[in-house]
């Protein structure tokens, strides 16, 4: 009898440990079942951790006439630096409602970072190089995860810890500001991962700042 009780206790302990350490594996694809890079999964948890007062050094660089990273997720009220690592000058700006701003023609690093005090998507462009397009996704202090080149993303939470979740991608066919609500608890796993499909516009349709900004309003 004692051995049976110990066995049951061990099983319960293992199940409890699995629940605590469980993760959610995602596979993000487009409508053609192709892996979708740069998708953001924003998660609101049931019991959020206390917010830290320490400021992170968030950076949107410019390398080889491109914004690096292509997509940057930042909490609201974050400061972001815009260094220019190219050997040519850039003129960074945005018309987005969440944060219109301008960093006129410069090389090196601007004196001050930019604060992003509103949630939403900020589309970045360069007034000198029209093909340069980048995105800053400002969220309300939630957990965010960005899909890799193979469309993969791992959420380090158990499904029971998740209150709400949203899926966003810069080429969303419904517009750059659209966030799709997802219920991870109702989705089925395939080969160990939850598959999420999103209808996006062809990459060539958003090849310049002007093209992207048309879908932002």
């Amino acid at each position: 009898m004692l051995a049976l009780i110990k066995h049951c206790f061990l099983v319960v302990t293992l199940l409890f440990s699995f629940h605590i350490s469980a993760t959610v594996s995602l596979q993000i694809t487009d409508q053609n079942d192709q892996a979708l890079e740069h998708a953001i999964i924003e998660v609101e948890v049931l019991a959020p951790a206390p917010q830290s007062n320490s400021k992170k050094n968030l950076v949107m660089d410019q390398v080889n006439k491109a914004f690096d990273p292509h997509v940057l997720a930042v909490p609201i009220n974050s400061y972001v630096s815009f260094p220019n690592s190219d050997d040519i000058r850039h003129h960074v700006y945005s018309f987005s409602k969440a944060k219109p701003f301008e960093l006129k023609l410069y090389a090196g690093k601007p004196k001050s970072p930019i604060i992003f005090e509103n949630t939403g998507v900020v589309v970045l462009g360069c007034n000198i190089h029209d093909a340069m397009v980048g995105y800053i996704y400002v969220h309300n202090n939630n957990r965010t995860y960005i899909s890799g080149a193979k469309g993969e993303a791992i959420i380090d939470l158990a499904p029971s810890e998740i209150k709400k979740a949203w899926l966003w991608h810069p080429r969303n066919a419904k517009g750059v500001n659209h966030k799709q609500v997802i219920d991870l608890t109702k989705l089925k796993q395939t080969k160990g991962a939850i598959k999420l499909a999103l209808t996006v516009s062809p990459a060539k349709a958003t090849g310049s700042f002007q093209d992207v900004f048309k879908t932002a309003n």
Side-chain angles (χ1 to χ4, degrees):
M1 183 66 180
L2 182 60
L4 178 61
I5 292 175
K6 288 182 177 180
H7 175 74
C8 291
F9 177 77
L10 178 61
V11 171
V12 170
T13 301
L14 289 173
L15 288 174
F16 179 76
S17 299
F18 173 77
H19 172 77
I20 294 299
S21 61
T23 60
V24 179
S25 296
L26 300 178
Q27 179 65 41
I28 317 297
T29 66
D30 63 12
Q31 64 271 30
N32 300 314
D33 202 34
Q34 298 298 306
L36 204 55
E37 189 179 9
H38 300 131
I40 287 182
I41 301 91
E42 179 181 355
V43 177
E44 180 181 354
V45 297
L46 289 170
Q51 296 181 18
S52 174
N53 292 324
S54 61
K55 293 183 179 180
K56 294 182 179 180
N57 184 25
L58 301 172
V59 175
M60 175 60 83
D61 205 342
Q62 295 147 82
V63 182
N64 296 325
K65 296 183 182 179
F67 288 104
D68 185 17
H70 181 59
V71 171
L72 177 66
V74 306
I76 190 172
N77 292 323
S78 292
Y79 286 85
V80 179
S81 296
F82 290 82
N84 178 3
S85 296
D86 283 336
D87 57 2
I88 55 176
R89 292 191 292 177
H90 290 300
H91 185 149
V92 178
Y93 69 108
S94 176
F95 294 141
S96 298
K97 292 180 181 179
K99 184 63 180 183
F101 73 97
E102 182 178 26
L103 293 172
K104 294 185 177 181
L105 205 61
Y106 71 98
K109 186 177 181 179
K111 293 182 179 179
S112 302
I114 302 293
I115 186 172
F116 290 80
E117 62 272 79
N118 300 304
T119 58
V121 178
V122 180
V123 182
L124 307 173
C126 175
N127 198 35
I128 307 301
H129 309 99
D130 187 53
M132 285 181 62
V133 182
Y135 305 87
I136 294 182
Y137 181 98
V138 188
H139 58 88
N140 194 21
N141 292 294
N142 290 322
R143 301 278 193 97
T144 55
Y145 307 85
I146 302 180
S147 64
K150 297 181 180 179
E152 76 287 356
I154 297 179
I155 297 177
D156 54 350
L157 295 166
S160 59
E161 297 178 276
I162 298 173
K163 182 179 181 180
K164 294 180 182 178
W166 300 267
L167 176 63
W168 173 88
H169 192 271
R171 292 194 285 114
N172 192 311
K174 293 185 178 180
V176 72
N177 288 314
H178 183 77
K179 293 197 300 184
Q180 179 176 313
V181 178
I182 53 176
D183 188 346
L184 296 174
T185 63
K186 294 182 179 180
L187 298 175
K188 295 182 179 180
Q189 289 194 10
T190 302
K191 295 181 179 180
I194 293 176
K195 195 170 184 178
L196 296 175
L198 188 65
T199 301
V200 297
S201 302
K204 62 181 181 180
T206 56
S208 70
F209 178 82
Q210 284 79 2
D211 291 332
V212 175
F213 193 73
K214 289 176 183 177
T215 69
N217 295 283

